């Protein structure tokens, strides 16, 4: 099972342009999320920062709270953190509203 997941991950990494298109499509529905190939290798980030959505999610996973992400990046607002969560959920679900 682990080998299959690793293989699929590597295939996705190889198709970074497909991911970029997907992320750009979803980010258009969010005021605080942007995808810029010049920042963080095109990973979705909070606008005008280098704070990646995946980083916010990892902080929440580690601390169990939104304030845990805000503690890691004090300039983040609760609204931005919640939007990052919704963005990630929508990408996974495939819903663009």
């Amino acid at each position: 099972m682990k080998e299959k997941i690793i293989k699929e991950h590597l295939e996705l990494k190889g198709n970074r342009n497909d991911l970029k298109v997907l992320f750009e499509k979803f980010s258009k529905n969010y005021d605080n999320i942007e995808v810029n190939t010049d920042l963080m290798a095109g990973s979705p980030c909070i606008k005008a920062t280098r704070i990646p959505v995946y980083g916010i999610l990892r902080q929440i996973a580690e601390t169990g709270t939104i304030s845990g992400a805000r503690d890691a990046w004090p300039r983040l607002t609760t609204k931005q953190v919640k939007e990052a969560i919704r963005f990630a959920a929508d990408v996974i679900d495939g819903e663009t509203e």
Side-chain angles (χ1 to χ4, degrees):
M1 179 68 161
K2 185 176 180 180
E3 291 81 20
K4 181 181 178 187
I5 292 170
I6 292 170
K7 181 181 176 190
E8 289 172 359
H9 177 73
L10 291 174
E11 288 172 2
L12 282 176
K13 284 285 193 183
N15 294 319
R16 190 75 174 158
N17 286 334
D18 293 341
L19 285 175
K20 179 181 169 284
V21 170
L22 178 70
F23 291 153
E24 286 175 344
K25 176 182 175 183
F26 280 90
S27 68
K28 291 177 183 175
N29 295 320
Y30 294 91
D31 294 332
N32 293 301
I33 307 293
E34 73 178 342
V35 177
N36 180 341
T37 54
D38 294 331
L39 295 175
M40 303 299 291
S43 291
C45 293
I46 300 298
K47 280 188 181 168
T49 75
R50 291 179 182 262
I51 303 171
V53 169
Y54 67 79
I56 293 169
L57 298 175
R58 284 186 179 147
Q59 281 297 326
I60 293 170
E62 286 182 25
T63 64
T65 65
I66 287 175
S67 60
R70 294 197 59 223
D71 290 345
W73 295 284
R75 60 190 272 201
L76 274 179
T77 66
T78 299
K79 180 182 176 184
Q80 289 171 319
V81 174
K82 287 180 177 181
E83 195 164 291
I85 295 167
R86 279 192 303 276
F87 173 83
D90 285 349
V91 169
I92 291 167
D93 189 37
E95 293 293 325
T96 59
E97 292 181 11

